[in-house]
Amino acid sequence: MMNKSIAIISAGLSQPSSTRLLGDRLGEATTRALADAGSDAKVTVIELRDLAHEITNTMLTGFASGALASAIETIVEADAVIAVTPIFSSSYSGLFKSFFDILEPRSLAGKPVLIAATGGTARHSLALEYSVRPLFAYLQSVVVPTSVFAASEDWGSTGGAHGDLAVRITRAAGELAEIVDGRPATRPVDEPVIPFAQQLANLAVSV
């Protein structure tokens, strides 16, 4: 059985955090998908909240040390990354962006990445496509086709994902596992691709 390493980057600010919860669900689903393909996976979670002061210091000094340096090494050496951010003002959080700003250029080039986000309403879901995905395209990462957004209503009363969210988690995790195993990420043939204009129309609200 081949051993794979998955690094989860969670930019949630609260404890407990729905952002961390989504990261955990994606990590578990990716582990299952890899196990089905005959690969073992080790998952490491990086909580940016715990590294906020070190990230700020590194932006000022240009030098990472201690726990932050260890976290960066874990991410750079991982076989894949799951990056999850809360959405604030229709974009990723400042802490999330600051962390990626301090990484060395091309440190995530070619790295398989699954992007995900949380927010209070589904209207913020498109931030993944016009904000988070371009960030990782700039970093030259290999981003899986399916991104995962979880609004408050997507979580069940027991804190577990349900309905469409569970489907998206499984799909995105499967795509990440395929890339990590050296197989092309695929989209089910019976799944329609919704045009971007239609996605905007579906999210439109009357004011």
mmCIF file of all heavy atoms in Angstrom, residues 15-67:
data_model
loop_
_atom_site.group_PDB
_atom_site.id
_atom_site.type_symbol
_atom_site.label_atom_id
_atom_site.label_comp_id
_atom_site.label_asym_id
_atom_site.label_seq_id
_atom_site.Cartn_x
_atom_site.Cartn_y
_atom_site.Cartn_z
ATOM 1 N N GLN A 15 -13.354 28.951 17.320
ATOM 2 C CA GLN A 15 -13.204 27.587 17.824
ATOM 3 C C GLN A 15 -14.464 27.213 18.606
ATOM 4 O O GLN A 15 -14.740 27.861 19.619
ATOM 5 C CB GLN A 15 -11.963 27.476 18.714
ATOM 6 C CG GLN A 15 -10.671 27.562 17.945
ATOM 7 C CD GLN A 15 -9.460 27.354 18.854
ATOM 8 O OE1 GLN A 15 -9.476 27.659 20.042
ATOM 9 N NE2 GLN A 15 -8.391 26.828 18.301
ATOM 10 N N PRO A 16 -15.238 26.197 18.174
ATOM 11 C CA PRO A 16 -15.024 25.407 16.953
ATOM 12 C C PRO A 16 -15.326 26.223 15.708
ATOM 13 O O PRO A 16 -15.967 27.273 15.776
ATOM 14 C CB PRO A 16 -16.012 24.260 17.119
ATOM 15 C CG PRO A 16 -17.111 24.838 17.944
ATOM 16 C CD PRO A 16 -16.445 25.781 18.909
ATOM 17 N N SER A 17 -14.840 25.716 14.563
ATOM 18 C CA SER A 17 -14.943 26.448 13.321
ATOM 19 C C SER A 17 -15.581 25.588 12.239
ATOM 20 O O SER A 17 -15.190 24.433 12.047
ATOM 21 C CB SER A 17 -13.540 26.886 12.871
ATOM 22 O OG SER A 17 -13.505 27.249 11.519
ATOM 23 N N SER A 18 -16.560 26.143 11.516
ATOM 24 C CA SER A 18 -17.151 25.406 10.400
ATOM 25 C C SER A 18 -16.123 25.223 9.282
ATOM 26 O O SER A 18 -16.187 24.249 8.524
ATOM 27 C CB SER A 18 -18.387 26.136 9.869
ATOM 28 O OG SER A 18 -18.053 27.424 9.394
ATOM 29 N N THR A 19 -15.162 26.138 9.197
ATOM 30 C CA THR A 19 -14.098 26.006 8.204
ATOM 31 C C THR A 19 -13.241 24.785 8.510
ATOM 32 O O THR A 19 -12.922 23.986 7.614
ATOM 33 C CB THR A 19 -13.235 27.283 8.187
ATOM 34 O OG1 THR A 19 -14.065 28.407 7.909
ATOM 35 C CG2 THR A 19 -12.135 27.190 7.133
ATOM 36 N N ARG A 20 -12.882 24.610 9.771
ATOM 37 C CA ARG A 20 -12.125 23.423 10.166
ATOM 38 C C ARG A 20 -12.974 22.162 9.963
ATOM 39 O O ARG A 20 -12.460 21.118 9.518
ATOM 40 C CB ARG A 20 -11.689 23.547 11.628
ATOM 41 C CG ARG A 20 -11.138 22.271 12.257
ATOM 42 C CD ARG A 20 -9.845 21.801 11.581
ATOM 43 N NE ARG A 20 -9.415 20.504 12.090
ATOM 44 C CZ ARG A 20 -8.624 20.341 13.160
ATOM 45 N NH1 ARG A 20 -8.189 21.395 13.850
ATOM 46 N NH2 ARG A 20 -8.279 19.142 13.557
ATOM 47 N N LEU A 21 -14.256 22.251 10.278
ATOM 48 C CA LEU A 21 -15.143 21.103 10.114
ATOM 49 C C LEU A 21 -15.198 20.669 8.651
ATOM 50 O O LEU A 21 -15.123 19.468 8.349
ATOM 51 C CB LEU A 21 -16.547 21.452 10.610
ATOM 52 C CG LEU A 21 -17.614 20.360 10.504
ATOM 53 C CD1 LEU A 21 -17.218 19.125 11.302
ATOM 54 C CD2 LEU A 21 -18.962 20.900 10.984
ATOM 55 N N LEU A 22 -15.302 21.637 7.739
ATOM 56 C CA LEU A 22 -15.320 21.303 6.321
ATOM 57 C C LEU A 22 -13.992 20.683 5.899
ATOM 58 O O LEU A 22 -13.967 19.708 5.145
ATOM 59 C CB LEU A 22 -15.609 22.552 5.492
ATOM 60 C CG LEU A 22 -15.656 22.353 3.972
ATOM 61 C CD1 LEU A 22 -16.688 21.305 3.589
ATOM 62 C CD2 LEU A 22 -15.933 23.684 3.275
ATOM 63 N N GLY A 23 -12.883 21.227 6.395
ATOM 64 C CA GLY A 23 -11.578 20.653 6.084
ATOM 65 C C GLY A 23 -11.461 19.213 6.556
ATOM 66 O O GLY A 23 -10.948 18.343 5.834
ATOM 67 N N ASP A 24 -11.972 18.953 7.749
ATOM 68 C CA ASP A 24 -11.928 17.584 8.283
ATOM 69 C C ASP A 24 -12.751 16.634 7.413
ATOM 70 O O ASP A 24 -12.333 15.504 7.136
ATOM 71 C CB ASP A 24 -12.454 17.560 9.715
ATOM 72 C CG ASP A 24 -11.499 18.189 10.712
ATOM 73 O OD1 ASP A 24 -10.300 18.336 10.382
ATOM 74 O OD2 ASP A 24 -11.943 18.534 11.824
ATOM 75 N N ARG A 25 -13.951 17.082 6.993
ATOM 76 C CA ARG A 25 -14.802 16.228 6.161
ATOM 77 C C ARG A 25 -14.113 15.929 4.821
ATOM 78 O O ARG A 25 -14.174 14.805 4.318
ATOM 79 C CB ARG A 25 -16.157 16.891 5.914
ATOM 80 C CG ARG A 25 -16.998 17.081 7.161
ATOM 81 C CD ARG A 25 -17.451 15.735 7.742
ATOM 82 N NE ARG A 25 -18.351 15.931 8.863
ATOM 83 C CZ ARG A 25 -17.963 16.083 10.128
ATOM 84 N NH1 ARG A 25 -16.667 16.061 10.425
ATOM 85 N NH2 ARG A 25 -18.843 16.263 11.090
ATOM 86 N N LEU A 26 -13.478 16.926 4.251
ATOM 87 C CA LEU A 26 -12.779 16.725 2.983
ATOM 88 C C LEU A 26 -11.577 15.803 3.156
ATOM 89 O O LEU A 26 -11.291 14.968 2.290
ATOM 90 C CB LEU A 26 -12.339 18.072 2.414
ATOM 91 C CG LEU A 26 -13.471 18.959 1.881
ATOM 92 C CD1 LEU A 26 -12.985 20.379 1.671
ATOM 93 C CD2 LEU A 26 -14.029 18.393 0.585
ATOM 94 N N GLY A 27 -10.875 15.950 4.270
ATOM 95 C CA GLY A 27 -9.746 15.068 4.540
ATOM 96 C C GLY A 27 -10.182 13.622 4.699
ATOM 97 O O GLY A 27 -9.532 12.694 4.174
ATOM 98 N N GLU A 28 -11.290 13.415 5.438
ATOM 99 C CA GLU A 28 -11.800 12.055 5.638
ATOM 100 C C GLU A 28 -12.240 11.434 4.314
ATOM 101 O O GLU A 28 -11.959 10.256 4.045
ATOM 102 C CB GLU A 28 -12.979 12.099 6.616
ATOM 103 C CG GLU A 28 -12.579 12.478 8.039
ATOM 104 C CD GLU A 28 -13.775 12.895 8.892
ATOM 105 O OE1 GLU A 28 -14.917 12.849 8.359
ATOM 106 O OE2 GLU A 28 -13.571 13.278 10.062
ATOM 107 N N ALA A 29 -12.916 12.231 3.479
ATOM 108 C CA ALA A 29 -13.389 11.711 2.192
ATOM 109 C C ALA A 29 -12.225 11.399 1.262
ATOM 110 O O ALA A 29 -12.250 10.400 0.525
ATOM 111 C CB ALA A 29 -14.333 12.729 1.540
ATOM 112 N N THR A 30 -11.192 12.225 1.288
ATOM 113 C CA THR A 30 -10.009 11.969 0.458
ATOM 114 C C THR A 30 -9.294 10.714 0.918
ATOM 115 O O THR A 30 -8.842 9.901 0.096
ATOM 116 C CB THR A 30 -9.053 13.171 0.497
ATOM 117 O OG1 THR A 30 -9.742 14.356 0.060
ATOM 118 C CG2 THR A 30 -7.848 12.934 -0.404
ATOM 119 N N THR A 31 -9.197 10.527 2.232
ATOM 120 C CA THR A 31 -8.568 9.328 2.775
ATOM 121 C C THR A 31 -9.313 8.072 2.332
ATOM 122 O O THR A 31 -8.703 7.069 1.951
ATOM 123 C CB THR A 31 -8.521 9.402 4.309
ATOM 124 O OG1 THR A 31 -7.733 10.534 4.703
ATOM 125 C CG2 THR A 31 -7.897 8.148 4.896
ATOM 126 N N ARG A 32 -10.655 8.136 2.371
ATOM 127 C CA ARG A 32 -11.448 6.988 1.930
ATOM 128 C C ARG A 32 -11.242 6.707 0.445
ATOM 129 O O ARG A 32 -11.113 5.548 0.027
ATOM 130 C CB ARG A 32 -12.933 7.235 2.206
ATOM 131 C CG ARG A 32 -13.317 7.177 3.676
ATOM 132 C CD ARG A 32 -14.830 7.077 3.847
ATOM 133 N NE ARG A 32 -15.519 8.215 3.272
ATOM 134 C CZ ARG A 32 -15.791 9.340 3.941
ATOM 135 N NH1 ARG A 32 -15.423 9.470 5.208
ATOM 136 N NH2 ARG A 32 -16.443 10.333 3.354
ATOM 137 N N ALA A 33 -11.216 7.772 -0.365
ATOM 138 C CA ALA A 33 -11.042 7.594 -1.804
ATOM 139 C C ALA A 33 -9.672 7.005 -2.120
ATOM 140 O O ALA A 33 -9.541 6.155 -3.008
ATOM 141 C CB ALA A 33 -11.220 8.932 -2.522
ATOM 142 N N LEU A 34 -8.648 7.434 -1.407
ATOM 143 C CA LEU A 34 -7.314 6.887 -1.619
ATOM 144 C C LEU A 34 -7.245 5.432 -1.166
ATOM 145 O O LEU A 34 -6.612 4.592 -1.819
ATOM 146 C CB LEU A 34 -6.273 7.727 -0.872
ATOM 147 C CG LEU A 34 -5.945 9.077 -1.512
ATOM 148 C CD1 LEU A 34 -5.123 9.937 -0.550
ATOM 149 C CD2 LEU A 34 -5.179 8.885 -2.821
ATOM 150 N N ALA A 35 -7.914 5.125 -0.043
ATOM 151 C CA ALA A 35 -7.926 3.746 0.447
ATOM 152 C C ALA A 35 -8.597 2.824 -0.564
ATOM 153 O O ALA A 35 -8.146 1.692 -0.787
ATOM 154 C CB ALA A 35 -8.643 3.671 1.792
ATOM 155 N N ASP A 36 -9.661 3.296 -1.196
ATOM 156 C CA ASP A 36 -10.348 2.497 -2.206
ATOM 157 C C ASP A 36 -9.435 2.206 -3.393
ATOM 158 O O ASP A 36 -9.617 1.193 -4.091
ATOM 159 C CB ASP A 36 -11.603 3.221 -2.698
ATOM 160 C CG ASP A 36 -12.691 3.286 -1.636
ATOM 161 O OD1 ASP A 36 -12.622 2.497 -0.673
ATOM 162 O OD2 ASP A 36 -13.602 4.129 -1.762
ATOM 163 N N ALA A 37 -8.459 3.106 -3.627
ATOM 164 C CA ALA A 37 -7.529 2.929 -4.739
ATOM 165 C C ALA A 37 -6.252 2.209 -4.308
ATOM 166 O O ALA A 37 -5.326 2.063 -5.099
ATOM 167 C CB ALA A 37 -7.183 4.282 -5.353
ATOM 168 N N GLY A 38 -6.211 1.795 -3.037
ATOM 169 C CA GLY A 38 -5.062 1.039 -2.558
ATOM 170 C C GLY A 38 -3.943 1.869 -1.963
ATOM 171 O O GLY A 38 -2.806 1.389 -1.842
ATOM 172 N N SER A 39 -4.226 3.116 -1.568
ATOM 173 C CA SER A 39 -3.206 3.986 -0.987
ATOM 174 C C SER A 39 -3.586 4.383 0.431
ATOM 175 O O SER A 39 -4.747 4.720 0.697
ATOM 176 C CB SER A 39 -3.014 5.248 -1.837
ATOM 177 O OG SER A 39 -2.538 4.940 -3.122
ATOM 178 N N ASP A 40 -2.619 4.370 1.319
ATOM 179 C CA ASP A 40 -2.818 4.851 2.682
ATOM 180 C C ASP A 40 -2.523 6.343 2.705
ATOM 181 O O ASP A 40 -1.701 6.832 1.922
ATOM 182 C CB ASP A 40 -1.879 4.099 3.630
ATOM 183 C CG ASP A 40 -2.204 4.382 5.084
ATOM 184 O OD1 ASP A 40 -3.325 4.822 5.364
ATOM 185 O OD2 ASP A 40 -1.314 4.177 5.935
ATOM 186 N N ALA A 41 -3.182 7.083 3.579
ATOM 187 C CA ALA A 41 -2.991 8.530 3.627
ATOM 188 C C ALA A 41 -2.820 9.010 5.054
ATOM 189 O O ALA A 41 -3.539 8.588 5.956
ATOM 190 C CB ALA A 41 -4.169 9.245 2.973
ATOM 191 N N LYS A 42 -1.863 9.912 5.235
ATOM 192 C CA LYS A 42 -1.666 10.592 6.509
ATOM 193 C C LYS A 42 -2.122 12.038 6.339
ATOM 194 O O LYS A 42 -1.653 12.746 5.443
ATOM 195 C CB LYS A 42 -0.196 10.563 6.927
ATOM 196 C CG LYS A 42 0.083 11.347 8.201
ATOM 197 C CD LYS A 42 1.567 11.389 8.535
ATOM 198 C CE LYS A 42 1.827 12.230 9.776
ATOM 199 N NZ LYS A 42 3.280 12.332 10.086
ATOM 200 N N VAL A 43 -3.042 12.483 7.199
ATOM 201 C CA VAL A 43 -3.594 13.835 7.097
ATOM 202 C C VAL A 43 -3.052 14.692 8.234
ATOM 203 O O VAL A 43 -3.095 14.299 9.402
ATOM 204 C CB VAL A 43 -5.134 13.805 7.148
ATOM 205 C CG1 VAL A 43 -5.696 15.227 7.144
ATOM 206 C CG2 VAL A 43 -5.694 13.009 5.969
ATOM 207 N N THR A 44 -2.537 15.871 7.889
ATOM 208 C CA THR A 44 -2.057 16.834 8.873
ATOM 209 C C THR A 44 -2.832 18.136 8.707
ATOM 210 O O THR A 44 -2.955 18.642 7.588
ATOM 211 C CB THR A 44 -0.556 17.119 8.687
ATOM 212 O OG1 THR A 44 0.180 15.900 8.782
ATOM 213 C CG2 THR A 44 -0.056 18.077 9.762
ATOM 214 N N VAL A 45 -3.377 18.654 9.798
ATOM 215 C CA VAL A 45 -4.158 19.892 9.750
ATOM 216 C C VAL A 45 -3.314 21.059 10.233
ATOM 217 O O VAL A 45 -2.705 21.001 11.302
ATOM 218 C CB VAL A 45 -5.435 19.783 10.603
ATOM 219 C CG1 VAL A 45 -6.227 21.085 10.535
ATOM 220 C CG2 VAL A 45 -6.302 18.614 10.136
ATOM 221 N N ILE A 46 -3.285 22.119 9.431
ATOM 222 C CA ILE A 46 -2.596 23.354 9.801
ATOM 223 C C ILE A 46 -3.651 24.410 10.093
ATOM 224 O O ILE A 46 -4.392 24.841 9.200
ATOM 225 C CB ILE A 46 -1.678 23.856 8.665
ATOM 226 C CG1 ILE A 46 -0.718 22.750 8.201
ATOM 227 C CG2 ILE A 46 -0.920 25.107 9.100
ATOM 228 C CD1 ILE A 46 0.239 22.282 9.254
ATOM 229 N N GLU A 47 -3.769 24.813 11.354
ATOM 230 C CA GLU A 47 -4.720 25.854 11.755
ATOM 231 C C GLU A 47 -4.016 27.214 11.686
ATOM 232 O O GLU A 47 -3.146 27.522 12.517
ATOM 233 C CB GLU A 47 -5.212 25.594 13.179
ATOM 234 C CG GLU A 47 -6.202 24.440 13.300
ATOM 235 C CD GLU A 47 -7.638 24.904 13.134
ATOM 236 O OE1 GLU A 47 -7.843 26.013 12.608
ATOM 237 O OE2 GLU A 47 -8.541 24.157 13.531
ATOM 238 N N LEU A 48 -4.361 28.027 10.702
ATOM 239 C CA LEU A 48 -3.702 29.323 10.554
ATOM 240 C C LEU A 48 -3.984 30.252 11.728
ATOM 241 O O LEU A 48 -3.178 31.135 12.032
ATOM 242 C CB LEU A 48 -4.136 29.983 9.244
ATOM 243 C CG LEU A 48 -3.765 29.237 7.957
ATOM 244 C CD1 LEU A 48 -4.083 30.094 6.740
ATOM 245 C CD2 LEU A 48 -2.288 28.827 7.958
ATOM 246 N N ARG A 49 -5.119 30.056 12.395
ATOM 247 C CA ARG A 49 -5.441 30.871 13.565
ATOM 248 C C ARG A 49 -4.329 30.791 14.606
ATOM 249 O O ARG A 49 -3.981 31.802 15.241
ATOM 250 C CB ARG A 49 -6.758 30.391 14.172
ATOM 251 C CG ARG A 49 -7.229 31.150 15.404
ATOM 252 C CD ARG A 49 -8.522 30.532 15.932
ATOM 253 N NE ARG A 49 -9.083 31.310 17.014
ATOM 254 C CZ ARG A 49 -8.716 31.189 18.293
ATOM 255 N NH1 ARG A 49 -7.766 30.329 18.624
ATOM 256 N NH2 ARG A 49 -9.294 31.921 19.224
ATOM 257 N N ASP A 50 -3.765 29.603 14.783
ATOM 258 C CA ASP A 50 -2.702 29.406 15.774
ATOM 259 C C ASP A 50 -1.370 30.003 15.331
ATOM 260 O O ASP A 50 -0.448 30.117 16.145
ATOM 261 C CB ASP A 50 -2.523 27.914 16.046
ATOM 262 C CG ASP A 50 -3.774 27.265 16.619
ATOM 263 O OD1 ASP A 50 -4.569 27.979 17.254
ATOM 264 O OD2 ASP A 50 -3.952 26.046 16.430
ATOM 265 N N LEU A 51 -1.267 30.362 14.050
ATOM 266 C CA LEU A 51 0.003 30.861 13.506
ATOM 267 C C LEU A 51 -0.090 32.327 13.091
ATOM 268 O O LEU A 51 0.833 32.847 12.461
ATOM 269 C CB LEU A 51 0.409 30.015 12.287
ATOM 270 C CG LEU A 51 0.585 28.518 12.523
ATOM 271 C CD1 LEU A 51 0.752 27.793 11.185
ATOM 272 C CD2 LEU A 51 1.792 28.243 13.425
ATOM 273 N N ALA A 52 -1.187 32.995 13.464
ATOM 274 C CA ALA A 52 -1.441 34.352 12.977
ATOM 275 C C ALA A 52 -0.303 35.319 13.321
ATOM 276 O O ALA A 52 0.128 36.108 12.469
ATOM 277 C CB ALA A 52 -2.762 34.865 13.539
ATOM 278 N N HIS A 53 0.185 35.286 14.560
ATOM 279 C CA HIS A 53 1.249 36.209 14.957
ATOM 280 C C HIS A 53 2.539 35.920 14.198
ATOM 281 O O HIS A 53 3.226 36.847 13.739
ATOM 282 C CB HIS A 53 1.496 36.120 16.466
ATOM 283 C CG HIS A 53 0.354 36.614 17.299
ATOM 284 N ND1 HIS A 53 -0.063 37.931 17.297
ATOM 285 C CD2 HIS A 53 -0.468 35.959 18.161
ATOM 286 C CE1 HIS A 53 -1.077 38.079 18.117
ATOM 287 N NE2 HIS A 53 -1.359 36.890 18.648
ATOM 288 N N GLU A 54 2.854 34.629 14.029
ATOM 289 C CA GLU A 54 4.069 34.257 13.292
ATOM 290 C C GLU A 54 3.975 34.658 11.833
ATOM 291 O O GLU A 54 4.975 35.059 11.224
ATOM 292 C CB GLU A 54 4.318 32.751 13.420
ATOM 293 C CG GLU A 54 4.776 32.288 14.790
ATOM 294 C CD GLU A 54 3.607 32.021 15.729
ATOM 295 O OE1 GLU A 54 2.480 32.423 15.394
ATOM 296 O OE2 GLU A 54 3.846 31.394 16.785
ATOM 297 N N ILE A 55 2.767 34.547 11.240
ATOM 298 C CA ILE A 55 2.590 34.955 9.846
ATOM 299 C C ILE A 55 2.835 36.450 9.693
ATOM 300 O O ILE A 55 3.525 36.901 8.765
ATOM 301 C CB ILE A 55 1.169 34.584 9.364
ATOM 302 C CG1 ILE A 55 1.036 33.058 9.253
ATOM 303 C CG2 ILE A 55 0.865 35.238 8.018
ATOM 304 C CD1 ILE A 55 -0.379 32.578 9.002
ATOM 305 N N THR A 56 2.294 37.238 10.621
ATOM 306 C CA THR A 56 2.516 38.688 10.579
ATOM 307 C C THR A 56 3.986 39.018 10.735
ATOM 308 O O THR A 56 4.536 39.860 9.998
ATOM 309 C CB THR A 56 1.704 39.383 11.686
ATOM 310 O OG1 THR A 56 0.317 39.110 11.504
ATOM 311 C CG2 THR A 56 1.928 40.887 11.651
ATOM 312 N N ASN A 57 4.658 38.374 11.682
ATOM 313 C CA ASN A 57 6.086 38.629 11.886
ATOM 314 C C ASN A 57 6.896 38.285 10.638
ATOM 315 O O ASN A 57 7.847 38.993 10.278
ATOM 316 C CB ASN A 57 6.604 37.810 13.073
ATOM 317 C CG ASN A 57 6.089 38.328 14.405
ATOM 318 O OD1 ASN A 57 5.674 39.484 14.513
ATOM 319 N ND2 ASN A 57 6.091 37.475 15.415
ATOM 320 N N THR A 58 6.523 37.196 9.975
ATOM 321 C CA THR A 58 7.244 36.778 8.781
ATOM 322 C C THR A 58 7.037 37.760 7.639
ATOM 323 O O THR A 58 7.950 38.025 6.847
ATOM 324 C CB THR A 58 6.800 35.370 8.349
ATOM 325 O OG1 THR A 58 7.055 34.458 9.415
ATOM 326 C CG2 THR A 58 7.548 34.905 7.105
ATOM 327 N N MET A 59 5.836 38.339 7.542
ATOM 328 C CA MET A 59 5.603 39.354 6.523
ATOM 329 C C MET A 59 6.487 40.578 6.759
ATOM 330 O O MET A 59 6.914 41.243 5.807
ATOM 331 C CB MET A 59 4.130 39.766 6.514
ATOM 332 C CG MET A 59 3.183 38.656 6.086
ATOM 333 S SD MET A 59 1.458 39.202 5.934
ATOM 334 C CE MET A 59 1.562 40.193 4.431
ATOM 335 N N LEU A 60 6.801 40.858 8.027
ATOM 336 C CA LEU A 60 7.633 42.018 8.360
ATOM 337 C C LEU A 60 9.123 41.713 8.239
ATOM 338 O O LEU A 60 9.911 42.576 7.829
ATOM 339 C CB LEU A 60 7.318 42.484 9.785
ATOM 340 C CG LEU A 60 5.903 43.008 10.028
ATOM 341 C CD1 LEU A 60 5.694 43.296 11.513
ATOM 342 C CD2 LEU A 60 5.652 44.266 9.208
ATOM 343 N N THR A 61 9.512 40.495 8.596
ATOM 344 C CA THR A 61 10.940 40.156 8.632
ATOM 345 C C THR A 61 11.415 39.353 7.424
ATOM 346 O O THR A 61 12.612 39.322 7.130
ATOM 347 C CB THR A 61 11.261 39.342 9.898
ATOM 348 O OG1 THR A 61 10.570 38.073 9.836
ATOM 349 C CG2 THR A 61 10.809 40.093 11.148
ATOM 350 N N GLY A 62 10.474 38.663 6.768
ATOM 351 C CA GLY A 62 10.852 37.825 5.643
ATOM 352 C C GLY A 62 11.442 36.490 6.045
ATOM 353 O O GLY A 62 11.983 35.766 5.194
ATOM 354 N N PHE A 63 11.313 36.140 7.340
ATOM 355 C CA PHE A 63 11.911 34.898 7.822
ATOM 356 C C PHE A 63 10.927 34.145 8.709
ATOM 357 O O PHE A 63 10.453 34.675 9.713
ATOM 358 C CB PHE A 63 13.193 35.196 8.612
ATOM 359 C CG PHE A 63 13.852 33.982 9.179
ATOM 360 C CD1 PHE A 63 14.558 33.104 8.371
ATOM 361 C CD2 PHE A 63 13.760 33.705 10.538
ATOM 362 C CE1 PHE A 63 15.162 31.964 8.894
ATOM 363 C CE2 PHE A 63 14.355 32.575 11.080
ATOM 364 C CZ PHE A 63 15.064 31.708 10.249
ATOM 365 N N ALA A 64 10.611 32.923 8.330
ATOM 366 C CA ALA A 64 9.702 32.083 9.123
ATOM 367 C C ALA A 64 10.504 31.174 10.034
ATOM 368 O O ALA A 64 11.549 30.647 9.640
ATOM 369 C CB ALA A 64 8.818 31.240 8.199
ATOM 370 N N SER A 65 10.010 30.977 11.243
ATOM 371 C CA SER A 65 10.713 30.108 12.184
ATOM 372 C C SER A 65 9.700 29.333 13.016
ATOM 373 O O SER A 65 8.489 29.551 12.936
ATOM 374 C CB SER A 65 11.607 30.941 13.116
ATOM 375 O OG SER A 65 10.825 31.866 13.866
ATOM 376 N N GLY A 66 10.197 28.416 13.827
ATOM 377 C CA GLY A 66 9.371 27.693 14.776
ATOM 378 C C GLY A 66 8.228 26.933 14.140
ATOM 379 O O GLY A 66 8.376 26.254 13.123
ATOM 380 N N ALA A 67 7.024 27.068 14.739
ATOM 381 C CA ALA A 67 5.855 26.319 14.296
ATOM 382 C C ALA A 67 5.451 26.677 12.877
ATOM 383 O O ALA A 67 4.996 25.818 12.113
ATOM 384 C CB ALA A 67 4.687 26.571 15.258
#
